[in-house]
Amino acid sequence: MKPARFDYFAPGTVDEALALLAEHGDQAKPLAGGQSLIPAMNFRLARPQVLVDLNQVAALSYIRANGSGLAIGAMTRQRAVERSDLVARAAPLLAEAMPSIAHPQIRNRGTVGGSLAHADPSAELPAVALALETRFRAKSATGERWIPAGEFFKGMLETALEPGELLVEIAIPPLPARSGTAFLEMARRHGDYALVGVAAVVTLEANGRCQAARVALLSVGDGPVLASEAATVLAGQAPSAELARAAGERAASRDVDPPSDIHASAAYRRRLVAVLTRRALERAFERAEKGSGEQGAVPSG
Amino acid sequence: MESRRQIGERVRRTEDARLLTGRALFVDDVRLDGMLHVAFLRSQHAHARLTGMDATAARARPGVVAVYTAADLGDYWRPGPLLVPPPPIAGLVFNACTQVPLAKEKLRHVGEPIAMVVAESRYLAEDALDDIVVEAEPLPAVVDLEAALAKGAPRVHEHLPSNVAAHAVQRKGDYARAKQRAHTVIKRRFRYDRGASAAIENRAVAAQWDPRAEELTVWDTTQAPIPIRNGLAQLLGLLESQVRVVAPFVGGGFGPKIMMYYPEEVLVPWAAMKLGRPVKWTEDRQENFFATTQERGQIHDAEITLDQSGKILGVRDVFLHDTGAYDPYGLTVPINSQCTLLGPYEIPNYESEFTAVFTNKTIVTPVRGAGRQHGVFVIERLLDFAAKELGIDRAEIRRRNLLRRDQFPFNNEILFQDSAPLTYDSGDYEPALDQALELIDYHRFVREEQPRLRAAGRHVGIGIVCYVEGTGIGPYEGARVTVEPGGRVRLATGVGTQGQGHFTAFAQIVAEVLGVDVADVHVITGDTREFHWGTGTFASRGAVVAGSACQAAALRVREKILELASQELEASKADLVLAGGSVHVRGDPSAGITLGALAVKANPLRGAVRPGTEPGLEATAYFGPDRGSTASGVHAMLVEVR
Amino acid sequence: MDYLLPTATDVPRVETAHRETPSPLNPMGAKGVGEAGAIPTGALFAQAVEDALGRTGLEICEIPLSPSRLFELIEEAR
């Protein structure tokens, strides 16, 4: 469990990092918090010939208000997001999901950009990003572009980032008024990889009916899965326990085709999708009804 | 002459200062000049024929010092010993197939070592693993215990007619007749799946050959440093006294660290001698999952017969035991299952039959519990189902079957792992059951709490389980106690220590006998240079067997102290008191003599001593029990399922 | 990564009580307890979980028990 030989660079600025990535192309891997890449290298499952360590690039670590939304630098530690008042106010779904990411030691090192760019289907941040319609800012030596969440995740550990391109920032748009969110997951123990997780966003009309819903699921496919069938069940309906249940059942039967592995059978995952989606929607509706201003209070799972 | 009670008192653990401040030596801390590092090429196949190997490129890689395959070991290549020969059970079938240092013709489990790379660093050694070309022809793997016994199943060991490693039947009474009288018969199939213990410190071996002293020193995470020393001496053609094995602080044993000899354990010292440089290998977590022994896989078809009142008439159990690819530890695990099933209950008729099965999996040797939990699982679940069927409370059906206090010693009439008849030495089970029920408030929970919680939609359950644990088996351990001139006491014993608190427990025993402070007893364990007779740490025997040896040695030293002090203080031994590190005449604590001063007097530099005098205040003693002592317990728990 | 490393936070509250029935086989009357924590645990969990669910027909005859496997057993007992 020792990594294969590699060359190591620790640039101090984004431009230096981009230049190194451009120079070494697909032989280079950016190193963020290292919580996934380093174990993969130790197992020799990943053998990058060049590591571009971003930990000296101070300019990539920030949490900023962006209108009434948020901008978060890719190298921002997960622990910083978890503890940020700004995040709690502007993106309570993100705040609620943070404690489910592994353990404090890992969140102290792990970064927002690292987790998103790694695109592990059982990770929390990709599902949250998808539910929140997050936009991804990618830079390369030749320019920059914005990628919407729906196009960023391409499959198992795959993203739309090209060789030489670096994820530098994510932008989370503000939620409309009368919105509510909730995050829930089931893991063998708190901090373990989720067997199934749900990130839910609902917005109510003035008359109290559901105007829009975005439910993203994790650990049920090759990447975060948007439960669009469940959303159609919800659209235009008045929130109720029965509605949440119907949406959960629809998500389980139509939106996902979960895998069986050593931790959970496909049938059990499907059941978890139904139950967790129902519970998350009930919670999100309740928060939406209370008014979006109050939903920042840290709820308990 | 009473000393202050120290055994069983709450005291500060004497080893913790070293452990908590990072001063305790673990094997991976051993760093020596010129030290080389090892990586093993391991089988990726569960079962395969090894048809060719080429290590030329690995040998040529810069930084690689040596690459060894089975062919390079010459006469040193030989299967390991059968550690625990099976007990003399009538009609027993046992096929010994012990592990080999490096695979030669066949790969029998994932993780089996194929080649050993020695290099200037572990990184380089692991790089070189990729250079070795292995030609292997995969064979169908033997994984499922029942399929393994089917006709035409692939065989793990082709020289045997089947995958049967062992077959044994033990009987007590006449089960078939008991069944004829039964009111209720319950039969079920039980499965206990495989698991691996994962010590915080993985295995590690470091070795250094000193050509001037002609001495080999081996640091090893073993639970049995003395047998390892003896075995290595024999394998390497050295005197036992030329080999020093140190099992320093070990970060968890749990059984797998008493397997002997692991391939790494015989290869690292050999390589150190051959290369003339210190060599170290530390198992990484990935290797630990398939190269360190495991346990637990069994399938039981069990039947219990009872009368109307819930009294057990008999039990019949037929089980399959997964022994993995080799069976160096004999039948300890399945025999423990067989014996422990009887538990604290009177089971007049018992028939237990097992078949141990070779599979293409990691070797099975005892892991914490060592087969006992399987037996407990079977009998306790059968009793639960019987209680339900007969409409008897779960605690009550247990109570009705417990052995009574006046039945001890109780002979179960079958053989235990130490080849002695399974005899319970002492016990009083019913009060323990009552105490557990009271502690968890069993009756109130069942009567009031659970219905209330159910009504509120919560799933909360209670469990109550009894067991007997065979412990403290022989053959023997020893200890040497020395009072040093400074007044502190030195205790050396052979058992290794893996976090159990031996340093404190043994010190308490000696401190109580000699009337000194626990903190003044300096304990050394697991270094064959300090003490070289003994067997190891296993089967809950440290306090029982080694502890008894410590006490015996301390009593002899106490006798020497009193003898000398009675001369010095001109008083009869019966009037002397040992307390606070000195000896005084009863009623006159001010006019005493310290143990240190007596130790100085016991080792004169000039003058004459009486013939036959032994110098110093020192004694060595050994203890070996006739058979193991049996502990028992009751566990109760509340659990909520959400 | 699939390695379920138990930590201190996974240990439930444990209360212990002692009873002594000294062994006649050694001078201190000592008995071992090194495996006591591991031996009855599987049987105890199976019984307590089965009792918690209180469903007719649900019998737990195997260990270990994952949430997924327990779900399957409950489905089978339906």
Side-chain angles (χ1 to χ4, degrees):
Chain A
M1 272 172 52
K2 304 286 185 204
R5 196 194 146 92
F6 58 88
D7 290 329
Y8 173 85
F9 297 94
T13 67
V14 175
D15 286 345
E16 285 168 35
L18 294 175
L20 284 162
L21 291 173
E23 183 187 341
H24 297 285
D26 56 8
Q27 297 188 340
K29 251 321 211 181
L31 171 67
Q35 300 304 294
S36 300
L37 179 58
I38 298 294
M41 288 171 65
N42 286 343
F43 282 115
R44 300 197 176 206
L45 296 171
R47 296 179 180 221
Q49 292 181 18
V50 175
L51 270 193
V52 179
D53 183 348
L54 303 175
N55 285 279
Q56 309 295 323
V57 186
L60 286 180
S61 182
Y62 55 86
I63 302 170
R64 283 182 206 134
N66 185 10
S68 42
L70 272 182
I72 300 177
M75 283 299 291
T76 308
R77 306 286 168 193
Q78 292 158 5
R79 192 70 162 161
V81 174
E82 180 183 353
R83 291 177 161 177
S84 160
D85 292 337
L86 189 55
V87 171
R89 281 197 306 275
L93 179 65
L94 180 59
E96 188 178 10
M98 294 314 293
S100 295
I101 302 174
H103 307 281
Q105 293 90 332
I106 288 175
R107 298 198 292 276
N108 279 332
R109 281 302 292 172
T111 64
V112 171
S115 174
L116 290 167
H118 184 55
D120 189 315
S122 58
E124 289 79 4
L125 288 176
V128 170
L130 188 58
L132 291 175
E133 298 185 86
T134 302
R135 297 194 314 135
F136 294 73
R137 186 176 167 201
K139 263 193 162 179
S140 69
T142 53
E144 79 166 58
R145 60 178 175 139
W146 284 92
I147 308 167
E151 291 167 25
F152 186 78
F153 301 104
K154 291 289 186 194
M156 179 68 74
L157 308 180
E158 262 184 65
T159 68
L161 293 171
E162 302 282 343
E165 232 177 2
L166 187 66
L167 174 64
V168 291
E169 183 183 85
I170 61 167
I172 300 176
L175 289 174
R178 289 184 296 278
S179 291
T181 63
F183 182 87
L184 282 176
E185 73 171 37
M186 169 74 185
R188 289 187 298 171
R189 293 177 313 181
H190 183 87
D192 288 346
Y193 278 107
L195 300 175
V196 168
V198 181
V201 181
V202 297
T203 305
L204 301 179
E205 291 172 20
N207 63 10
R209 286 180 178 270
C210 179
Q211 183 187 70
R214 277 177 79 86
V215 176
L217 300 157
L218 57 116
S219 269
V220 292
D222 285 349
V225 173
L226 195 65
S228 48
E229 286 284 334
T232 54
V233 171
L234 297 165
Q237 303 296 315
S240 69
E242 204 31 63
L243 182 69
R245 179 181 304 276
E249 295 297 337
R250 180 71 73 94
S253 60
R254 303 283 292 275
D255 282 315
V256 296
D257 183 13
S260 283
D261 59 29
I262 57 168
H263 302 307
S265 66
Y268 182 53
R269 283 208 161 90
R270 242 183 236 287
R271 183 76 195 136
L272 286 175
V273 167
V275 172
L276 294 178
T277 302
R278 167 173 61 78
R279 289 183 189 166
L281 285 170
E282 283 175 355
R283 198 170 285 187
F285 279 129
E286 194 182 312
R287 289 172 179 166
E289 282 159 2
K290 275 191 198 159
S292 55
E294 291 169 41
Q295 60 173 293
V298 177
S300 68
Chain B
M1 225 173 73
E2 279 304 299
S3 297
R4 185 162 59 89
R5 177 94 190 162
Q6 306 225 38
I7 299 170
E9 295 298 301
R10 281 173 185 263
V11 295
R12 184 169 294 215
R13 287 172 25 122
T14 56
E15 56 266 60
D16 283 352
R18 275 194 285 171
L19 286 166
L20 294 174
T21 57
R23 283 179 289 133
L25 180 81
F26 291 86
V27 173
D28 197 47
D29 295 326
V30 174
R31 272 159 218 170
L32 302 167
D33 284 347
M35 190 167 236
L36 297 169
H37 299 266
V38 173
F40 286 93
L41 179 70
R42 297 180 183 277
S43 173
Q44 307 279 334
H45 300 280
H47 198 190
R49 206 170 303 289
L50 196 53
T51 52
M53 199 172 343
D54 184 357
T56 318
R59 290 193 173 102
R61 181 179 275 271
V64 171
V65 175
V67 178
Y68 302 116
T69 65
D72 300 311
L73 299 184
D75 288 348
Y76 197 66
W77 189 97
R78 65 192 91 163
L82 175 63
L83 289 175
V84 188
I89 296 169
L92 174 82
V93 174
F94 179 70
N95 296 312
C97 292
T98 58
Q99 75 287 351
V100 298
L102 292 171
K104 213 174 216 173
E105 285 143 7
K106 240 184 123 174
L107 303 173
R108 294 192 172 87
H109 69 88
V110 170
E112 186 167 22
I114 303 172
M116 176 191 194
V117 176
V118 189
E120 298 291 342
S121 80
R122 176 69 176 251
Y123 291 85
L124 294 170
E126 290 195 18
D127 288 347
L129 296 182
D130 288 345
D131 300 336
I132 302 174
V133 180
V134 175
E135 288 164 35
E137 176 193 315
L139 298 169
V142 181
V143 178
D144 178 84
L145 290 183
E146 290 177 292
L149 297 178
K151 221 174 147 79
R155 276 168 294 153
V156 179
H157 297 280
E158 280 156 29
H159 69 280
L160 295 175
S162 74
N163 289 313
V164 171
H167 179 259
V169 185
Q170 295 216 70
R171 283 192 189 87
K172 171 191 183 181
D174 185 339
Y175 179 77
R177 272 185 64 187
K179 192 175 171 180
Q180 286 168 8
R181 290 185 288 125
H183 171 271
T184 298
V185 178
I186 288 169
K187 187 169 183 183
R188 292 289 187 280
R189 165 163 275 218
F190 299 100
R191 286 171 190 273
Y192 219 109
D193 209 349
R194 210 176 236 259
S197 72
I200 290 180
E201 184 194 17
N202 289 337
R203 290 185 296 125
V205 186
Q208 181 178 38
W209 170 250
D210 179 343
R212 290 194 175 81
E214 294 190 322
E215 186 183 79
L216 176 71
T217 304
V218 180
W219 293 264
D220 187 352
T221 54
T222 181
Q223 291 171 237
I226 296 166
I228 294 287
R229 176 198 72 147
N230 300 349
L232 283 176
Q234 197 186 359
L235 284 167
L236 295 165
L238 298 169
L239 294 170
E240 289 185 354
S241 51
Q242 281 180 291
V243 182
R244 176 187 181 194
V245 173
V246 184
F249 281 95
V250 175
F254 314 125
K257 286 182 182 160
I258 203 166
M259 223 292 279
M260 294 182 301
Y261 312 100
Y262 276 105
E264 303 88 352
E265 222 161 22
V266 293
L267 292 172
V268 168
W270 176 81
M273 287 188 73
K274 202 171 165 66
L275 298 171
R277 287 175 68 177
V279 176
K280 180 165 78 175
W281 167 77
T282 301
E283 183 184 59
D284 65 33
R285 186 56 69 185
Q286 196 179 22
E287 292 179 287
N288 182 258
F289 284 118
F290 38 62
T292 288
T293 59
Q294 306 177 345
E295 213 210 89
R296 301 283 193 264
Q298 289 184 359
I299 302 173
H300 290 248
D301 286 302
E303 185 177 274
I304 188 169
T305 61
L306 310 100
D307 71 13
Q308 197 165 2
S309 71
K311 277 284 283 180
I312 302 169
L313 299 175
V315 172
R316 176 171 152 75
D317 182 28
V318 180
F319 68 97
L320 300 177
H321 167 73
D322 176 1
T323 195
Y326 301 95
D327 58 355
Y329 220 97
L331 298 178
T332 298
V333 175
I335 285 177
N336 277 346
S337 305
Q338 195 164 52
C339 288
T340 310
L341 185 144
L342 292 166
Y345 309 114
E346 181 159 16
I347 300 178
N349 301 286
Y350 182 44
E351 194 171 305
S352 173
E353 171 183 351
F354 70 79
T355 306
V357 183
F358 287 118
T359 59
N360 290 119
K361 298 189 210 169
T362 298
I363 302 171
V364 166
T365 70
V367 174
R368 180 69 84 224
R372 292 174 180 85
Q373 42 273 83
H374 308 75
V376 172
F377 190 72
V378 171
I379 187 66
E380 293 294 315
R381 293 275 56 205
L382 285 173
L383 282 173
D384 293 335
F385 300 145
K388 221 171 254 180
E389 179 114 355
L390 291 166
I392 302 172
D393 173 76
R394 280 174 283 159
E396 180 56 27
I397 199 168
R398 289 173 165 79
R399 182 190 308 282
R400 288 181 193 175
N401 287 290
L402 290 177
L403 289 166
R404 298 182 316 273
R405 190 202 319 226
D406 59 11
Q407 287 175 286
F408 293 92
F410 184 81
N411 186 348
N412 282 292
E413 299 170 37
I414 61 170
L415 295 182
F416 192 45
Q417 55 155 306
D418 60 354
S419 296
L422 177 68
T423 302
Y424 297 165
D425 51 352
S426 64
D428 192 4
Y429 300 147
E430 196 174 355
L433 176 62
D434 285 333
Q435 194 171 349
L437 292 172
E438 194 180 311
L439 268 173
I440 204 152
D441 213 356
Y442 176 86
H443 292 292
R444 199 183 63 83
F445 178 85
V446 171
R447 213 173 39 238
E448 300 166 21
E449 195 82 351
Q450 196 173 36
R452 193 177 59 74
L453 291 163
R454 285 238 165 96
R458 288 174 65 185
H459 305 289
V460 185
I462 196 165
I464 180 106
V465 163
C466 309
Y467 68 95
V468 168
E469 176 189 359
T471 78
I473 57 173
Y476 78 95
E477 290 298 335
R480 186 179 63 249
V481 170
T482 312
V483 177
E484 298 239 354
R488 292 181 70 198
V489 179
R490 195 163 191 275
L491 166 68
T493 175
V495 303
T497 192
Q498 303 88 37
Q500 296 93 335
H502 283 149
F503 291 83
T504 308
F506 294 157
Q508 283 177 289
I509 292 168
V510 170
E512 179 168 306
V513 173
L514 299 183
V516 299
D517 259 8
V518 169
D520 284 333
V521 182
H522 182 71
V523 180
I524 291 161
T525 72
D527 183 344
T528 61
R529 183 184 272 172
E530 297 288 342
F531 204 89
H532 63 95
W533 297 104
T535 57
T537 308
F538 55 94
S540 299
R541 64 194 291 279
V544 181
V545 185
S548 294
C550 293
Q551 190 196 37
L555 284 168
R556 286 194 194 168
V557 169
R558 181 187 171 95
E559 201 44 48
K560 288 187 175 182
I561 291 168
L562 292 174
E563 191 69 46
L564 188 57
S566 86
Q567 294 166 27
E568 293 296 323
L569 298 174
E570 296 176 347
S572 111
K573 282 196 280 182
D575 291 333
L576 296 179
V577 177
L578 260 83
S582 61
V583 189
H584 64 263
V585 181
R586 191 181 308 281
D588 187 9
S590 59
I593 181 164
T594 65
L595 297 189
L598 282 170
V600 172
K601 287 187 187 297
N603 185 24
L605 288 176
R606 294 289 184 277
V609 295
R610 270 184 287 171
T613 300
E614 286 180 11
L617 298 176
E618 178 173 285
T620 300
Y622 299 90
F623 180 78
D626 286 341
R627 54 176 196 273
S629 49
T630 42
S632 66
V634 180
H635 286 209
M637 80 180 291
L638 288 170
V639 67
E640 177 163 14
V641 180
R642 290 195 227 192
Chain C
M1 279 173 248
D2 294 325
Y3 166 38
L4 194 64
L5 177 76
T7 68
T9 58
D10 299 311
V11 180
R13 189 164 64 93
V14 177
E15 284 178 35
T16 55
H18 300 284
R19 300 195 74 84
E20 292 184 9
T21 52
S23 173
L25 300 173
N26 64 72
M28 293 189 292
K31 294 182 171 186
V33 291
E35 310 186 79
I39 293 170
T41 325
L44 189 62
F45 264 89
Q47 187 194 119
V49 168
E50 196 178 283
D51 183 49
L53 293 166
R55 276 176 201 270
T56 2
L58 172 67
E59 287 186 351
I60 297 171
C61 295
E62 64 192 57
I63 282 291
L65 206 54
S66 65
S68 183
R69 181 63 188 141
L70 184 59
F71 171 75
E72 281 173 19
L73 290 174
I74 293 169
E75 292 291 296
E76 282 167 21
R78 264 184 217 280

